[in-house]
Amino acid sequence: MSDWEETPPERLYVITGGRSGASAPAELDLVTLIVARSGPKPGMQPEHTAIVRICQAPLSVAEISAYLRLPPSVVTVLLGDLLDQGRVIARAPVPPARLPDRALIEAVIDGLQRL
């Protein structure tokens, strides 16, 4: 059982302000990389401050969730707030390399065999 599973649901409700999603739709999944644009600002919510501090180097949503010991759904709401404020940047992970078309591979093999 993870730490956040033992957290009272009331605390999670307070952290997110009762929201279950970000105010603006953000394309965030567990492998989206988050990078802080600046340091924390005085008066920020403690969880927002923690995210900005740990994201000085890129971290995935899953890593942030693990470091903060909060469910990914709660972290996604908090990240939505920070994205709206321009405090963090979300980057899609590097896509896996795409293989070239099979016809191209066969043409290269055919050309090499003719040498």
Side-chain angles (χ1 to χ4, degrees):
M1 187 175 251
S2 64
D3 290 342
W4 60 265
E5 289 176 322
E6 298 170 5
T7 303
E10 297 83 15
R11 178 173 180 264
L12 300 177
Y13 183 86
V14 170
I15 290 172
T16 62
R19 296 171 293 143
S20 61
S23 57
E27 296 292 326
L28 298 176
D29 57 26
L30 292 176
V31 294
T32 300
L33 297 176
I34 305 296
V35 182
R37 296 183 79 188
S38 62
K41 184 173 112 181
M44 286 176 70
Q45 182 176 337
E47 292 79 13
H48 287 145
T49 299
I51 291 172
V52 170
R53 282 193 177 137
I54 66 173
C55 289
Q56 294 304 310
L59 287 177
S60 71
V61 173
E63 291 172 309
I64 297 167
S65 176
Y67 286 132
L68 297 182
R69 296 182 176 142
L70 292 172
S73 58
V74 171
V75 170
T76 301
V77 171
L78 296 173
L79 288 172
D81 296 343
L82 293 171
L83 285 165
D84 288 347
Q85 297 168 14
R87 307 257 327 105
V88 298
I89 299 170
R91 292 192 228 162
V94 177
R98 293 186 57 197
L99 294 176
D101 184 35
R102 183 177 176 96
L104 176 63
I105 294 173
E106 289 173 356
V108 170
I109 291 172
D110 185 46
L112 290 172
Q113 288 174 343
R114 290 184 189 178
L115 292 176

